[in-house]
Amino acid sequence: MASFTLKEDSSEIVINGTDVEEIVPDADFRFSLLVLKNGEKHFVTGTKEEIESKLEANAL
């Protein structure tokens, strides 16, 4: 599980890496859309690579 900052209100969300279906980078590459397997979508701070790295580091 890893914690991410939401773009909209700067609150934190905790997501399990196995729940992520897709990571879609924003045009300016500062934010990414996390699409979860349950259909939820969260716009968070970070590039696709940063998010993948954080999820992998917290999966151990």
Side-chain angles (χ1 to χ4, degrees):
M1 299 187 103
S3 177
F4 298 95
T5 304
L6 295 173
K7 178 183 177 185
E8 299 84 27
D9 59 8
S10 297
S11 62
E12 294 284 318
I13 187 168
V14 177
I15 296 176
N16 189 337
T18 59
D19 294 335
V20 177
E21 183 172 321
E22 185 178 7
I23 302 171
V24 182
D26 188 27
D28 68 4
F29 297 104
R30 293 183 302 144
F31 302 97
S32 296
L33 177 67
L34 296 182
V35 181
L36 305 183
K37 292 178 182 175
N38 68 3
E40 289 182 27
K41 297 177 181 175
H42 301 283
F43 211 45
V44 299
T45 302
T47 64
K48 181 177 180 179
E49 292 77 18
E50 291 169 340
I51 292 168
E52 288 172 340
S53 176
K54 194 171 189 179
L55 288 171
E56 288 172 10
N58 288 293
L60 302 175

